[in-house]
Amino acid sequence: MANVNIQELLDNGVHFGHLTRKWNPNMAPYIYTERNGVHIIDLYKTAAKIEETSEALKKIANSGRKILFVATKKQAKDIVAEKAKSVNMPFITERWPGGMLTNFVTIRKAVKKMAHIDRMKLDGSFDALSKREKLQINRQREKLEKNLGSISDMTRLPGALFIVDIKKEHIAVAEARKLSIPIFAMVDTNSDPRLVDFIIPANDDASKSIDKVLSFVIDAVAEGLSERKSDKEKVKETKEVAAPKAVKVAPEVEEAKVEETKAEVTETPSEEKK
């Protein structure tokens, strides 16, 4: 895992917090100073937390569980979607569907509905519908794709959530806490870090800051997935080596055995006559 460069964090504005009057006192340990009415985040602590968070996410990815990325704010949506896709992880960048985690069975039914519509289009049953019905189904499909298309591969509850701005995504935080799902998050100076299991104190409003922090996180997830793949290949190779190989019998030996068997079968009746 690459070491976090403080200068890179500084250049991307990761250190800028919120206005001092909007701060959350629980973020005090992560604040370095105040400048022009704005809190400045301690980047050394940010770097340490990025490394700690990355290590934990790497282990989760290595275990084969999914990490759900959540960011519905405008400046984070596209970045999160792009980076989550690069490691084949589910993400929510539109409105958080209420009960997404606590009522996961219902959400899965909606995803299956989307798959059912796709099957209808393939088997020809969709063409038998009226023009009005087709229009209604297409609209329903578009709506489902927009809200749930990014989690269609998530067949069970995720192993962890990574959230950008826990204040905005408070419903997601509440649901994850209710189900004891670990929460990883970028937390700005106006949020409560006590709600998060793994905190990255950082500017969660600037797109450059979000992009930089997520690049470290995604690299760690990719590394975990890569290690999982190589471990599986090693296990497969070991099994192949350990498996007993079938012993090939020479054709001459096989023919001799057949002749011997024939002779035994022929001799047996004559012995019984005696």
Side-chain angles (χ1 to χ4, degrees), residues 168-223:
K168 183 172 177 61
E169 315 300 344
H170 63 278
I171 301 173
V173 172
E175 287 191 29
R177 282 172 63 82
K178 189 174 182 180
L179 297 172
S180 301
I181 296 172
I183 302 170
F184 297 75
M186 285 179 68
V187 183
D188 214 326
T189 56
N190 66 331
S191 303
D192 188 353
R194 295 174 301 176
L195 301 174
V196 178
D197 299 291
F198 290 85
I199 171 180
I200 298 178
N203 177 359
D204 63 10
D205 290 314
S207 55
K208 282 177 74 178
S209 171
I210 296 165
D211 185 56
K212 178 48 64 178
V213 172
L214 273 172
S215 65
F216 292 116
V217 169
I218 293 296
D219 284 348
V221 172
E223 197 175 327

Side-chain angles (χ1 to χ4, degrees), residues 88-108:
N88 198 28
M89 288 294 172
F91 58 91
I92 295 289
T93 53
E94 296 302 324
R95 183 184 64 84
W96 174 267
M100 165 75 200
L101 301 176
T102 52
N103 197 12
F104 189 66
V105 175
T106 305
I107 296 294
R108 280 303 301 165

Side-chain angles (χ1 to χ4, degrees), residues 72-140:
T72 60
K73 64 199 302 182
K74 191 180 177 181
Q75 56 270 51
K77 287 168 70 168
D78 295 338
I79 297 167
V80 169
E82 182 190 338
K83 292 192 179 293
K85 280 178 187 175
S86 70
V87 288
N88 198 28
M89 288 294 172
F91 58 91
I92 295 289
T93 53
E94 296 302 324
R95 183 184 64 84
W96 174 267
M100 165 75 200
L101 301 176
T102 52
N103 197 12
F104 189 66
V105 175
T106 305
I107 296 294
R108 280 303 301 165
K109 282 180 183 175
V111 173
K112 284 177 183 176
K113 176 69 178 173
M114 196 163 57
H116 175 66
I117 294 169
D118 291 339
R119 280 198 300 274
M120 282 176 66
K121 289 183 177 182
L122 289 172
D123 62 22
S125 56
F126 183 77
D127 298 327
L129 300 172
S130 67
K131 192 175 179 181
R132 186 180 177 182
E133 285 174 323
K134 284 180 183 177
L135 187 63
Q136 287 175 338
I137 289 173
N138 279 329
R139 281 177 181 168
Q140 186 183 20

